[in-house]
Every structure is written in C-alpha cells, then in structure tokens.
Amino acid sequence: DAGVIQSPRHEVTEMGQEVTLRCKPISGHNSLFWYRQTMMRGLELLIYFNNNVPIDDSGMPEDRFSAKMPNASFSTLKIQPSEPRDSAVYFCASQVDGALYEQYFGPGTRLTVT
Amino acid sequence: SNSVKQTGQITVSEGASVTMNCTYTSTGYPTLFWYVEYPSKPLQLLQRETMENSKNFGGGNIKDKNSPIVKYSVQVSDSAVYYCLLGGPCMEYGNKLVFGAGTILRVKS
C-alpha cells in the first residue's frame, strides 16, 4: 500500500484565496483525521471522520475551515478565505476502527499564505 | 479530563542514553502511543503501551502517570521530535487521540 497520500505537498497562496487540501486514506481504514501543526501550538486535531461521517469538528478553528469526506477513499480540507495565520503543515491520518490501532500519517501539506 | 505533558527539548551527545518523559492523566483505560517525526518524514509509530502490557493494569482513573521512552546510545540520526499520544477504548469521542506537545531531541556529534 502506498500509505496515506496528501496533495499538494506544498501550497503557497495569497491571503483571501481559497485553498483545498486533499487526502487519500489507506484502503480499508475507516477513520480519517485532519491535523494542523504549527510552532506555536504543536499538533492540533481539527476534525475526524468515521465511516465518512464527521464525528468531532470541535478543533476546526473558524467557519473559514470546512472538511468533507464524500467517500471512503477521499477527503478534502478547505480554507476560504485563507489568512496568513493559517500557514502551517496540515496532516491527514487514517486508522482502522478501534482505539488500540495506530494512526498512519500522510507526509503533510505545507501551506504558506502570504 | 485527559491530558498529556512532555519535556520541551533535550540536547545530548552521541552515545548517551536519553529518557523522554510523558506524564498523562486519563479517565478510562488508556493506550499510550509514541510517535517520532524525523525532518521531512511522516509521523511514525515507535511503540504502543496498552492496559495489558502496562503498569497501569487494574487502574481506571490515572493522574499524572509517567510513561517514559528510553533511547540508548543515541546517534545524530535520532534527532527528531518525539510525540506521546493518549488514546484508548474508553475515551470520549471514540478514536480521538490527545497529543503531547512533543519533545525535541537534539543529538550532537
């Protein structure tokens, strides 16, 4: 398996633009997580899905952030409009259902908003 | 509520042994994960401690328990960020993990 796939790996955009980050989880994993990593806050859980349904989105910082999982093999995290403070590395992770199993992380998308 | 605390940064010389602490508070029966993040690489699982193989067997509500990870004879290539994560079958929100802030390990040659 190729592991968790994220695209793009790097994104540079101007303030006010819409940004869409993409994630393909490992086949057979039914939980998917979006995290944000910054120097100030470390790793933060933004939202997670189980069987394509959003379970907990309490970590989503503002209404400018939205996430979807239309099917078991694809998820998006959208920021509209983007702001410089959104600059961070965004990780996607997937997991087999069951809290004893590890999460597998994607390589991350480094977002820079100028 | 569940929480995890980690030491911020450790700097050692090659060949030394390093103990990185993870102090957690948990309601329920936790699984503790250690992940490592090498530069430009995805997070990788280092080890997993479950109720069955941990010293917490028989517990239920745990307060300020330390579950460290020890690395012996470290090399420069061990320089990375080490995260401690708390998960478990009885935590609220199901599979949600609680992250520590991470320990930055710097190994000098």
Side-chain angles (χ1 to χ4, degrees), chain A residues 3-113:
Chain A
V4 176
I5 299 172
Q6 290 187 249
S7 64
R9 295 293 308 276
H10 301 273
E11 176 82 29
V12 180
T13 191
E14 292 183 347
M15 184 174 70
Q17 297 298 307
E18 176 179 297
V19 175
T20 299
L21 311 181
R22 297 172 178 80
C23 175
K24 182 181 188 311
I26 293 173
S27 177
H29 286 193
N30 51 5
S31 289
L32 183 140
F33 304 77
W34 282 102
Y35 294 91
R36 177 172 67 176
Q37 183 184 48
T38 62
M39 289 294 290
M40 294 295 293
R41 294 173 173 266
L43 267 167
E44 303 173 275
L45 177 65
L46 300 177
I47 184 171
Y48 89 90
F49 296 85
N50 184 256
N51 294 323
N52 312 338
V53 176
I55 302 300
D56 181 7
D57 65 355
S58 60
M60 296 286 263
E62 299 172 32
D63 291 344
R64 298 184 295 106
F65 285 70
S66 62
K68 294 182 180 179
M69 192 164 186
N71 56 60
S73 59
F74 183 66
S75 177
T76 59
L77 178 68
K78 185 178 293 187
I79 308 172
Q80 166 64 19
S82 58
E83 296 182 3
R85 60 194 169 117
D86 301 330
S87 298
V89 180
Y90 291 81
F91 288 100
C92 176
S94 70
Q95 181 188 25
V96 173
D97 206 11
L100 295 182
Y101 294 96
E102 66 181 283
Q103 293 189 6
Y104 290 80
F105 283 79
T109 295
R110 183 173 295 278
L111 173 64
T112 303
V113 183

Side-chain angles (χ1 to χ4, degrees), chain B residues 17-107:
Chain B
S17 296
V18 176
T19 297
M20 288 177 277
N21 292 319
C22 171
T23 304
Y24 65 94
T25 295
S26 169
T27 55
Y29 295 87
T31 298
L32 206 67
F33 299 88
W34 277 97
Y35 281 82
V36 59
E37 183 184 26
Y38 296 107
S40 303
K41 296 278 182 65
L43 284 157
Q44 304 168 30
L45 181 70
L46 274 181
Q47 70 181 44
R48 168 177 36 224
E49 182 178 337
T50 63
M51 183 183 71
E52 287 74 23
N53 63 17
S54 78
K55 300 177 180 64
N56 301 322
F57 184 78
N61 294 310
I62 299 166
K63 182 172 172 55
D64 295 331
K65 173 72 179 177
N66 185 27
S67 183
I69 190 170
V70 182
K71 293 187 72 66
Y72 300 97
S73 189
V74 295
Q75 305 299 308
V76 172
S77 57
D78 292 317
S79 298
V81 183
Y82 292 80
Y83 289 97
C84 179
L85 285 66
L86 188 65
C90 297
M91 288 184 65
E92 64 176 315
Y93 301 133
N95 296 335
K96 182 176 178 178
L97 298 178
V98 178
F99 276 84
T103 295
I104 300 172
L105 175 64
R106 297 190 200 281
V107 181

